[in-house]
């Protein structure tokens, strides 16, 4: 096997991004999250700020929109929809596929598990934890009040769920979408990393770790 990719979806406060970064460092892999926006900008020629603005804009209107399930296509530069939110996602998906075909890496969020659902070198992970754990951890890293932080977590997770549903047609927190679902409050971050590594060693026996 040439390369392995791990995708990580996560609830806010569960530590999924931290676990992904720890795993990438331990395995000697690259880790990609918002870096994908710059790479998609470089590939498409579309200003990187438009990718970032689309992320923010969609947070406020996704729940009102019909599904636009990603089908692998790109919109032509001569189309009025070339810089549409949907095509910005298409270019991010293109980058995700390019990474999956060329690099050992961990990809955080961005519906990567769905984009790569037909790739046999991909392991998909969902990291979650009880609400009180996520809130306590989020409070450690932010200066918001507990009530404000709770609202922020709910809004962020709703956005992630709406975003995932819009582009995949599936529910973001449905265990059937993933190879592994891990409760970080029970395993700890180190334990989650070790659980993922154990799964990889069983699943990808021919890969040299």
């Amino acid at each position: 096997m040439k390369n392995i990719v791990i995708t990580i979806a996560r609830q806010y406060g569960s530590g999924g991004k931290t676990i992904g970064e720890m795993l990438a460092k331990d395995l000697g892999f690259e880790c990609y999250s918002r870096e994908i926006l710059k790479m998609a900008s470089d590939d498409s020629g579309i200003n990187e700020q438009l990718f970032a603005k689309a992320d923010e804009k969609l947070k406020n209107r996704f729940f009102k929109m019909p599904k636009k399930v990603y089908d692998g296509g790109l919109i032509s530069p001569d189309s009025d929809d070339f810089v549409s939110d949907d095509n910005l996602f298409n270019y991010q998906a293109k980058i995700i596929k390019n990474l999956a075909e060329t690099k050992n890496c961990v990809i955080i969020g961005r519906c990567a598990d769905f984009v790569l659902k037909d790739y046999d070198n991909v392991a998909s992970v969902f990291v979650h934890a009880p609400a009180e754990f996520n809130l306590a951890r989020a409070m450690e890293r932010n200066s918001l009040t507990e009530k404000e932080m709770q609202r922020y977590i709910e809004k962020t997770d709703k956005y992630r769920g709406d975003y995932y549903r819009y582009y995949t047609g599936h529910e973001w927190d449905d265990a059937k979408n993933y190879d592994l679902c891990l409760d970080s409050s029970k395993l700890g971050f180190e334990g989650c990393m070790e659980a993922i590594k154990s799964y990889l060693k069983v699943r990808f026996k021919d890969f040299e770790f």
Side-chain angles (χ1 to χ4, degrees):
M1 178 168 290
K2 184 175 65 173
N3 67 299
I4 288 177
V5 178
I6 303 101
T7 68
I8 296 185
R10 75 284 185 216
Q11 290 181 326
Y12 189 90
S14 66
K17 184 177 180 182
T18 300
I19 292 165
E21 291 169 344
M22 290 169 56
L23 178 67
K25 183 177 180 180
D26 185 85
L27 295 175
F29 288 10
E30 298 291 329
C31 186
Y32 297 93
S33 180
R34 291 186 64 84
E35 296 85 355
I36 290 171
L37 301 184
K38 183 180 188 314
M39 297 166 74
S41 171
D42 292 343
D43 184 73
S44 64
I46 299 171
N47 192 306
E48 184 181 351
Q49 290 186 349
L50 291 179
F51 286 91
K53 286 180 180 177
D55 264 11
E56 293 304 315
K57 181 170 59 176
L58 294 173
K59 285 184 180 179
N60 297 318
R61 69 183 180 90
F62 248 50
F63 67 96
K64 300 177 182 177
M65 300 168 67
K67 296 183 183 71
K68 180 65 171 65
V69 176
Y70 170 71
D71 61 6
L74 291 170
I75 298 174
S76 169
D78 58 9
S79 169
D80 292 340
D81 291 328
F82 180 63
V83 295
S84 66
D85 296 336
D86 291 338
N87 205 38
L88 297 181
F89 180 88
N90 293 342
Y91 270 100
Q92 292 177 65
K94 179 185 177 185
I95 295 301
I96 288 169
K97 287 181 174 180
N98 288 344
L99 291 172
E101 292 164 4
T102 58
K103 290 182 177 291
N104 292 315
C105 60
V106 176
I107 301 176
I108 310 293
R110 314 241 157 238
C111 303
D113 59 283
F114 182 82
V115 171
L116 302 177
K117 65 184 185 334
D118 296 324
Y119 286 62
D120 60 9
N121 64 327
V122 175
S124 57
V125 180
F126 184 79
V127 180
H128 61 97
E132 58 272 18
F133 176 90
N134 294 340
L135 177 61
R137 183 172 176 277
M139 289 294 292
E140 293 173 358
R141 300 176 295 122
N142 294 275
S143 57
L144 300 177
T145 66
E146 186 170 309
K147 185 174 289 187
E148 289 171 337
M149 193 71 250
Q150 183 62 55
R151 284 199 298 265
Y152 182 81
I153 291 172
E154 291 171 356
K155 181 179 178 181
T156 301
D157 282 349
K158 183 182 186 308
Y159 161 65
R160 289 176 179 174
D162 289 345
Y163 185 94
Y164 191 91
R165 185 183 306 110
Y166 178 76
Y167 282 119
T168 73
H170 299 293
E171 294 302 313
W172 167 68
D173 56 359
D174 186 343
K176 293 192 296 291
N177 298 325
Y178 306 98
D179 297 319
L180 285 177
C181 292
L182 303 174
D183 185 336
S184 57
S185 73
K186 294 178 178 177
L187 294 178
F189 294 176
E190 189 82 24
C192 285
M193 182 184 73
E194 292 301 325
I196 296 169
K197 286 169 58 180
S198 295
Y199 174 82
L200 296 177
K201 289 174 182 177
V202 173
R203 167 93 178 271
F204 304 114
K205 295 183 178 67
D206 297 332
F207 188 84
E208 293 185 11
F209 290 95

